[in-house]
Structure formats: structure tokens, C-alpha cells
Amino acid sequence: MDMMRKRARTSMDSTIVDVWKREVGELQSRNFAHRLAASEGVVLRLDILRKLEKHKGCVNTVSFNADGDILVSGSDDRSVILWGWETGRVRLSFHSGHHNNVFQAKIMPYTEDRKIVTCAADGQVRLAQILERGKVETKLLAEHEGRAHKLAIEPGSPHIFYTCGEDGLVQHIDLRTSIATELFTCQSVHPQNYKSVIQLNTISIDPRNPNFFAVGGSDQFARLFDIRKYKWDGSTEFGQPINFFCPPHLVGDENVGITGLAFSDQRELLASYNNEFIYLFTGDMGLGPDLVPTSSVSDDSDAGDMSPDHNSVASPAAIDGNTTAAPQVYKGHLNCKTVKGVNFYGPRCEYVVSGSDCGRIFIWKKKGGKLIRVMEADKDVVNCIEPHPHTMNLASSGIESDIKIWIPKAIDRATLPTNIKMKRPKPRGWMHRMISPEDLMLQLVSLQSRRTRQERSGESSDVRRSLLQMLLTFDANSDGSSADGDEDTTTGAEECST
């Protein structure tokens, strides 16, 4: 008790000292605001301001505009809504034009909030143009064979963004020409494996150097690319990453994949793994551009029970005996059921935030990985946590049909619950499960059309492997049971394609 009083007094004293420094001119007002906003006391006083309710299905995406006064959301009901989140009122609601669940919706910067780009479970990438008197026109920009989970806007650009999908394809789109350029299809590090194409879940662009972007999906590697290496005349193949990132103990683990990526303003890369934890990589933690086969991988007892894999890979530096620093790890949440995002939080990315299968929001200190806040949000899974661009407010959404707005307004500082599990969950296999024969047929039809096109050019081997992978995945999960032998009671989360 005495220690807790001492901590509270120390925190208060530091705030008073900052106020004094600001008044006598030793601390600039901007730095004072940043230090105050990033204080742990602000995070511990987050509470729900209001719920935004209009969608009729799972809310798979929330995103603020550049000014921070508008929140855009997309849902399984295929609608897109622009909210005045401070008042809770709907500014505009329209049908996205998609035939299936909307997975991502973002407002293009410097377009007077009139251009919104979306991607969805139907594989389409669309542009919504807001006209006068609330009229909206949507048009198709590009397509993926299979679900398209994420898109990433080039920082500060009103024209350029990237998309990725479960077909492994990464596309570059310029709204000035409405042309989609297929950059590459992400390939496995084991070409002989039937999982030759990596199903991509997430893409993120480095805010300090937009030439760099990272992708993650159905294997353990986050891949970093440099768009400057792409030859726009198509004279060279662009598909080799300039760097790979993976925690050392996961290099040979085929039970994990990446569901979310985010860059900080210091060029750190945050990666959220399913059936695992969240990791923070700095630039010197990369495995290099060339991964080579090894006989086994080491076991890291701190991260969970792992077994050596005789079909794993490693970097040349690892073979030479050089070891890189281990990434910071963030533990406590659960990421097994859905494709969850991850984000930085705070004026200078002082915190890491994520949703969880348990319906709660987790907040860690970036430096050191200490869990400081767990907030009860939904009755089911929370997938999306979106920080406000200028304040310490948050928006969250998931399996439920509403959006929750969080602001630091609570009088009392929150305390951590006692039932937080800090161990790795039991592996359940990769989350891309076919939950119904209808879903399987939809994917088979789209892949068959791709196979027909590629057979004409003599390049159908990748598609055949994709078809085989899909059939094996469906067969492995057709009994509806979880990998650890327990009865699967997550119907709501599995049926919602977030």
C-alpha cells in the first residue's frame, strides 16, 4: 500500500514539475502537451464516451479522417458510414457497392473527405466519390481472387494506395489514372511446399519513408519491400523482399501467421501473430533478404512450448553464429479466432494497443512491454482499435454491430484485472478456415477463373497448389472441432468474416 502511495505521489510530482518548467520557459508548450497526453494517468482514465449504432452486422473497420472530426466505418452489412463521432450523429451512410463484407474503408487525405477507398470479402477494391447533396457514386478499381482484407494509403497522398488479398497479390493503385498495377504475388520461402502462395492479411507503409511497405499473412514472416526496386515497364520481376522479420523461436513454426502490422513514427514494425503474441521489430532485427534452409530452430521457453522443425529457414547471419537482438514482446491478449489489427497509441507511439478474443482492449507500454490497461469493450471479439490522430481518444469495433468511442474522462484510475493469461494459447492451426461449403465454392470459382486465365499463358502451377491448399484446409477443419480437442463454441466469431 505504501509503495502504491509513493508511485501515485511520484506521478503527481512529475506533472507539477512539468507545469512549473512550462511556466518558467524550460519546457515548450508542445512538449508539455505531448508529455501530459502520453502520461499513464491519461490511459488509466479511458472510458466509453458513447456507442455509435446504425450498422446491422459486424463492424470490421473504423478509421478517422486527417482532421479527426469524422470516423468512417464499414460492416458485414456492406454499408459505409461517416460519423460525427463527437455528437454521435450519422453524417452520411451509403451502400459500398460490394457484394460481401466490407473489410476496410479509409478516407483519402486532401480530398475534402469526399473520396473513400474500400476493400471487401468479394475481393473487390472500390472508390466511393461523395458528390453534392449527399449523393455517392462508387466504381470498381481492382479485384483480388479471394478476400481482400486490407489497404494502405501512402502517407500524405490523395492519389496512391496499396491493397493485398488472400490470393497473395499486392497491387498499387493511382486514383489519377484509376489503374491498378499488380506488383507481385507473395510466395512461400519453401517453393516446393503446396502452400506456395502466402495469403495476405495486412499491409502497412512506413510513414517516415513511404518507399517502404510491409506485408504479413499466412506464414511467420513479415516481409519488407522497397517500391523503388519495381520497374514500371515490367522489365524485371519485383517480388523479393529487402528484409524478413520474425521472432527467432517462430522461424520454423507453421501454426502461426500475421494478422496485423503497423509502423511507428520511429520506423519500428509491430506484428500481431495469431496463436501467439505481438512483437516489435527495429531495423536491425531483420533476417536479411535471403533466407536459407536449416536443420532446426532453437526453442525459446519464454514464448511457449516449441518443437524443432526440420524444414525451417534462417538468415545467413544466423548460420555464421551472429545473433540479433530479440524483439520486444507484448502478452496477455488472445488472437485465435479472427483477423485482428494492432496499432500504436500516443502522440509519439508510446503505447501498443490491440483487441482480443475475450472482448477486451489491451494497452501496453511500448518500451518494456508492460501491460498497463485492460478495458471491457464487447461481449465477443474486438478486432479494430483506431487511435485518434491528434488526441488520446480511441475507437473500437468487432463482432458486435456498434462502435465504441473512448476518451480519458474517468475520475478514478483503472486497475488491472487478475484473470489475464500471459501464456501462449494452444495452436489451433491457421485461421483461414472454410466455414461452409458455400464459402468453399465461392473461393473455388474465383480460383478456377484465375487458373483458366493462367493456363492460357502456361502458368497454372501456383493456382493448382492454391486449390490443393484450399481443399486440404477445408478438409482439416470440416469437423468443426478445435485443434486442442475442445468443443468449438465460437460460432459468432467464425461466421463473421472479419
Side-chain angles (χ1 to χ4, degrees):
M1 182 64 70
D2 292 339
M3 186 175 293
M4 292 178 64
R5 288 174 181 166
K6 184 177 180 181
R7 285 178 182 169
R9 192 161 53 246
T10 301
S11 177
M12 179 60 70
D13 291 345
S14 65
T15 303
I16 293 174
V17 170
D18 284 345
V19 173
W20 172 77
K21 287 183 177 180
R22 183 192 64 174
E23 294 303 312
V24 299
E26 291 188 11
L27 185 63
Q28 294 181 359
S29 296
R30 183 175 182 180
N31 291 337
F32 171 79
H34 282 170
R35 288 171 67 164
L36 183 62
S39 67
E40 189 172 325
V42 171
V43 178
L44 296 180
R45 287 180 170 85
L46 285 170
D47 200 359
I48 294 178
L49 171 67
R50 63 172 44 88
K51 298 179 182 179
L52 307 180
E53 299 177 298
K54 184 176 174 63
H55 283 296
K56 297 179 181 178
C58 306
V59 182
N60 307 319
T61 174
V62 288
S63 177
F64 290 98
N65 66 342
D67 291 336
D69 61 330
I70 296 176
L71 181 75
V72 60
S73 62
S75 168
D76 285 3
D77 62 15
R78 296 172 291 173
S79 69
V80 172
I81 299 179
L82 275 65
W83 306 84
W85 62 268
E86 294 178 278
T87 63
R89 295 181 179 177
V90 174
R91 294 195 178 186
L92 182 65
S93 177
F94 61 92
H95 192 280
S96 63
H98 290 284
H99 305 298
N100 213 325
N101 310 353
V102 177
F103 284 161
Q104 186 100 77
K106 285 183 175 290
I107 298 174
M108 296 295 293
Y110 304 110
T111 61
E112 298 182 342
D113 302 324
R114 290 181 175 270
K115 291 184 179 181
I116 302 171
V117 289
T118 60
C119 59
D122 58 8
Q124 293 186 358
V125 181
R126 303 186 68 88
L127 169 67
Q129 178 73 54
I130 301 175
L131 308 176
E132 298 300 325
R133 299 180 181 179
K135 185 179 179 181
V136 180
E137 290 184 354
T138 67
K139 68 175 181 178
L140 179 66
L141 296 175
E143 287 188 271
H144 288 268
E145 301 289 355
R147 291 170 284 198
H149 283 283
K150 287 292 186 289
L151 53 84
I153 297 173
E154 182 176 289
S157 172
H159 310 297
I160 295 172
F161 68 100
Y162 296 74
T163 70
C164 68
E166 290 185 8
D167 55 359
L169 180 65
V170 175
Q171 300 189 74
H172 174 283
I173 299 175
D174 191 330
L175 294 180
R176 290 168 294 190
T177 61
S178 295
I179 293 176
T181 301
E182 297 184 357
L183 298 180
F184 62 90
T185 297
C186 192
Q187 301 291 330
S188 169
V189 297
H190 296 294
Q192 73 278 9
N193 197 319
Y194 73 89
K195 295 181 181 179
S196 61
V197 174
I198 301 301
Q199 301 175 4
L200 295 179
N201 294 317
T202 180
I203 183 169
S204 183
I205 300 176
D206 183 349
R208 294 186 61 178
N209 188 341
N211 291 307
F212 297 112
F213 65 92
V215 297
S218 58
D219 74 355
Q220 61 271 53
F221 298 105
R223 294 161 168 82
L224 182 68
F225 293 87
D226 186 347
I227 189 62
R228 292 170 297 186
K229 293 184 176 295
Y230 182 78
K231 304 298 182 183
W232 296 98
D233 61 0
S235 59
T236 59
E237 183 179 353
F238 176 69
Q240 177 62 29
I242 63 169
N243 214 340
F244 288 84
F245 293 89
C246 181
H249 68 282
L250 294 182
V251 168
D253 191 342
E254 295 186 355
N255 290 317
V256 300
I258 297 173
T259 66
L261 290 173
F263 276 103
S264 74
D265 56 9
Q266 290 91 36
R267 299 190 65 182
E268 302 151 311
L269 181 61
L270 198 62
S272 181
Y273 284 79
N274 74 297
N275 294 325
E276 247 279 340
F277 305 125
I278 297 170
Y279 295 91
L280 179 70
F281 301 98
T282 56
D284 59 349
M285 294 178 183
L287 302 176
D290 299 309
L291 296 178
V292 295
T294 64
S295 58
S296 65
V297 294
S298 61
D299 185 6
D300 187 338
S301 58
D302 181 62
D305 294 333
M306 307 291 297
S307 58
D309 187 315
H310 295 281
N311 204 22
S312 62
V313 296
S315 66
I319 295 177
D320 294 338
N322 298 326
T323 58
T324 58
Q328 177 63 59
V329 60
Y330 306 92
K331 300 180 180 181
H333 76 307
L334 293 173
N335 183 9
C336 301
K337 298 178 182 177
T338 57
V339 179
K340 286 178 192 62
V342 68
N343 228 320
F344 291 97
Y345 175 52
R348 291 174 178 164
C349 301
E350 293 88 350
Y351 301 94
V352 170
V353 293
S354 174
S356 175
D357 291 345
C358 61
R360 294 183 284 194
I361 297 171
F362 286 70
I363 304 178
W364 301 264
K365 280 190 173 181
K366 184 185 75 173
K367 187 176 181 180
K370 178 184 176 183
L371 178 64
I372 65 167
R373 186 73 199 273
V374 177
M375 303 187 297
E376 300 288 342
D378 292 0
K379 295 179 181 178
D380 214 316
V381 181
V382 177
N383 292 313
C384 306
I385 310 293
E386 183 72 11
H388 190 273
H390 311 300
T391 70
M392 292 295 283
N393 300 336
L394 290 170
S396 68
S397 69
I399 299 301
E400 295 184 8
S401 59
D402 64 10
I403 301 160
K404 295 174 178 66
I405 303 295
W406 304 79
I407 67 171
K409 70 180 183 70
I411 297 175
D412 298 324
R413 294 160 63 103
T415 59
L416 284 175
T418 58
N419 60 337
I420 303 300
K421 297 181 179 179
M422 304 299 285
K423 295 183 179 180
R424 174 184 175 182
K426 294 180 181 180
R428 297 171 53 138
W430 178 242
M431 65 177 56
H432 287 290
R433 302 184 182 123
M434 300 302 174
I435 59 173
S436 69
E438 291 80 8
D439 193 9
L440 175 65
M441 290 305 300
L442 177 64
Q443 299 295 321
L444 287 175
V445 167
S446 64
L447 281 173
Q448 180 61 38
S449 63
R450 178 182 165 199
R451 176 182 174 181
T452 301
R453 291 197 304 270
Q454 294 191 2
E455 278 183 339
R456 293 170 183 168
S457 60
E459 300 176 354
S460 62
S461 58
D462 287 346
V463 181
R464 290 194 181 97
R465 279 193 290 266
S466 297
L467 288 168
L468 176 60
Q469 175 185 350
M470 189 172 299
L471 290 168
L472 291 174
T473 304
F474 180 76
D475 182 67
N477 293 281
S478 61
D479 61 354
S481 60
S482 60
D484 57 10
D486 298 330
E487 182 179 355
D488 190 354
T489 60
T490 59
T491 303
E494 293 293 345
E495 289 183 350
C496 184
S497 300
T498 52

